[in-house]
Amino acid sequence: VLIIIKEKDSISATPHSMVEKTESSENTENTENMENTENTDFPYDVENIVEITSMEELYLFNGGDVDNLEVYTNENGYISFISGSFSDIEVKSPEEAILSLYGIKTLMGCKSPKDELRLESTNSDEYGSVFNFEQVYKDIPVYGRSIVVVTDDTNHTSALNSSFTSDIDISIKPSLSEKKAIKVVEDQGDTVITNQGLYIYIDDESQPKLVWNLESNMYTYLVDAQEGTVLLENPLFIID
């Protein structure tokens, strides 16, 4: 859905406040459903960041000009794409990219970016930088789900792409062992070469499943870690 928002005089947007690094990296406050996976090494205090909590505020943050902002949302109403700015934080590192997301975390459906995202890659040139993060749930990767933060040549946010999925709440204790999961694949006539470990997979009905991520020479297999069924068989290579 393309969001086109008309300016409302009664709404004012408060820019994000840049926060300073804390001398202590400890953060004792527990995040809901993530008691054992809170990132206590994150070097910033995130409590004082002012959030943009509506599309109207995001529009006004970009100067109230339709040409400065383009936003798409997913089927649940959370942001999936932004062309425009969403933070006044200067982003020069992955940690600062994570910090910038706190200003729109509610609009993304993300409770705690520092705990729910893990850096995959960065790329920089004279035009700016790209920070690619994979989504994690209690330190377990969520298959195919990521957030990409893009900055311009002044180190300020200029775009965002998100496939983040919200409200995952499942057990991360598998009923099916790694050995039995491998046998499921072997029973299909293939041979497992690499075990990528446990993942969370969002199935076709948008339900999260704990899976074993196994690879053969040709395919990725996602085997349900509770029921032992193959939920996804994905080719590693596309042959024209």
Side-chain angles (χ1 to χ4, degrees), residues 42-57:
F42 193 72
Y44 292 96
D45 176 10
V46 300
E47 298 303 319
N48 296 322
I49 297 178
V50 177
E51 263 200 85
I52 295 173
T53 58
S54 70
M55 294 298 181
E56 288 87 353
E57 288 184 359

Side-chain angles (χ1 to χ4, degrees), residues 1-236:
V1 180
L2 174 61
I3 306 298
I4 300 176
I5 305 168
K6 294 182 179 179
E7 184 173 358
K8 296 184 179 180
D9 293 336
S10 61
I11 297 175
S12 62
T14 304
H16 305 181
S17 298
M18 185 61 182
V19 297
E20 300 294 333
K21 287 190 178 182
T22 58
E23 293 182 2
S24 171
S25 63
E26 294 181 358
N27 184 346
T28 58
E29 181 179 354
N30 289 330
T31 303
E32 182 180 1
N33 294 327
M34 297 205 175
E35 290 84 358
N36 298 321
T37 58
E38 185 175 5
N39 182 359
T40 58
D41 293 327
F42 193 72
Y44 292 96
D45 176 10
V46 300
E47 298 303 319
N48 296 322
I49 297 178
V50 177
E51 263 200 85
I52 295 173
T53 58
S54 70
M55 294 298 181
E56 288 87 353
E57 288 184 359
L58 184 59
Y59 169 72
L60 293 177
F61 186 81
N62 282 268
D65 187 345
V66 173
D67 293 334
N68 290 341
L69 179 67
E70 185 175 1
V71 181
Y72 289 85
T73 60
N74 61 24
E75 63 274 11
N76 296 316
Y78 293 120
I79 286 175
S80 60
F81 175 79
I82 297 174
S83 177
S85 179
F86 53 87
S87 173
D88 62 3
I89 292 170
E90 192 172 9
V91 176
K92 295 181 178 180
S93 69
E95 291 80 12
E96 289 165 339
I98 289 283
L99 194 65
S100 73
L101 295 173
Y102 273 85
I104 55 167
K105 64 184 179 69
T106 300
L107 293 178
M108 296 191 309
C110 180
K111 294 183 178 71
S112 179
K114 70 183 176 65
D115 300 312
E116 298 179 78
L117 298 173
R118 180 187 296 160
L119 181 67
E120 278 195 308
S121 64
T122 63
N123 183 43
S124 299
D125 58 25
E126 66 271 25
Y127 302 106
S129 299
V130 177
F131 301 89
N132 191 355
F133 301 92
E134 67 175 348
Q135 182 179 354
V136 295
Y137 173 73
K138 296 183 178 179
D139 283 337
I140 296 178
V142 182
Y143 186 83
R145 303 292 174 146
S146 64
I147 287 180
V148 179
V149 175
V150 181
T151 65
D152 60 20
D153 58 359
T154 68
N155 300 314
H156 289 92
T157 58
S158 59
L160 176 133
N161 191 49
S162 172
S163 57
F164 189 91
T165 189
S166 301
D167 301 322
I168 298 175
D169 185 15
I170 61 171
S171 170
I172 58 172
K173 183 177 180 180
S175 299
L176 189 75
S177 68
E178 173 188 346
K179 184 177 180 179
K180 288 182 178 179
I182 290 173
K183 189 175 186 305
V184 170
V185 174
E186 290 176 342
D187 287 345
Q188 295 196 177
D190 209 342
T191 301
V192 173
I193 303 300
T194 304
N195 175 17
Q196 300 287 355
L198 289 169
Y199 273 66
I200 307 296
Y201 172 62
I202 310 301
D203 67 14
D204 293 338
E205 297 180 352
S206 299
Q207 296 301 308
K209 303 286 186 180
L210 183 68
V211 298
W212 290 102
N213 183 351
L214 307 173
E215 291 183 358
S216 70
N217 283 326
M218 295 295 294
Y219 291 94
T220 291
Y221 295 91
L222 300 185
V223 179
D224 193 314
Q226 310 299 358
E227 300 181 2
T229 56
V230 176
L231 298 180
L232 181 69
E233 183 178 328
N234 205 26
L236 292 173

